[in-house]
């Protein structure tokens, strides 16, 4: 495992319209993470230290996006 790996998130399929997003505040702005990998019947996101929204805080959402960012 890479020592810079901060978090691993996964969810089951099907996941049509699901978006994984991050922000440094609950009030946003939210950024969509498009690096989810398909592994078997799951999607997996590996977040590295450099991908975190800030050094102080990080918030994550798994939401039904309907194509809207």
């Amino acid at each position: 495992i890479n020592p810079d790996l901060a978090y691993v998130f996964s969810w089951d399929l099907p996941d049509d319209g699901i978006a994984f997003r991050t922000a440094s505040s609950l009030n946003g702005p939210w950024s969509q993470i498009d690096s989810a990998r398909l592994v078997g019947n799951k999607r997996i996101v590996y977040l590295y230290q450099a991908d975190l929204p800030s050094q102080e805080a990080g918030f994550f959402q798994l939401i039904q996006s309907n194509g809207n960012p």
Side-chain angles (χ1 to χ4, degrees):
I1 295 180
N2 186 322
D4 293 331
L5 183 63
Y7 297 100
V8 177
F9 296 92
S10 68
W11 58 93
D12 293 331
L13 298 177
D15 66 347
D16 294 337
I18 297 293
F20 181 77
R21 305 189 320 174
T22 66
S24 58
S25 163
L26 283 175
N27 296 324
W30 292 90
S31 299
Q32 187 163 322
I33 303 294
D34 294 320
S35 61
R37 298 176 185 179
L38 180 60
V39 178
N41 64 344
K42 293 184 179 285
R43 297 260 184 221
I44 298 179
V45 173
Y46 297 98
L47 279 184
Y48 295 90
Q49 295 292 334
D51 300 326
L52 295 177
S54 83
Q55 294 283 334
E56 293 79 34
F59 299 90
F60 309 97
Q61 290 182 329
L62 189 61
I63 64 165
Q64 183 73 32
S65 71
N66 296 322
N68 297 322

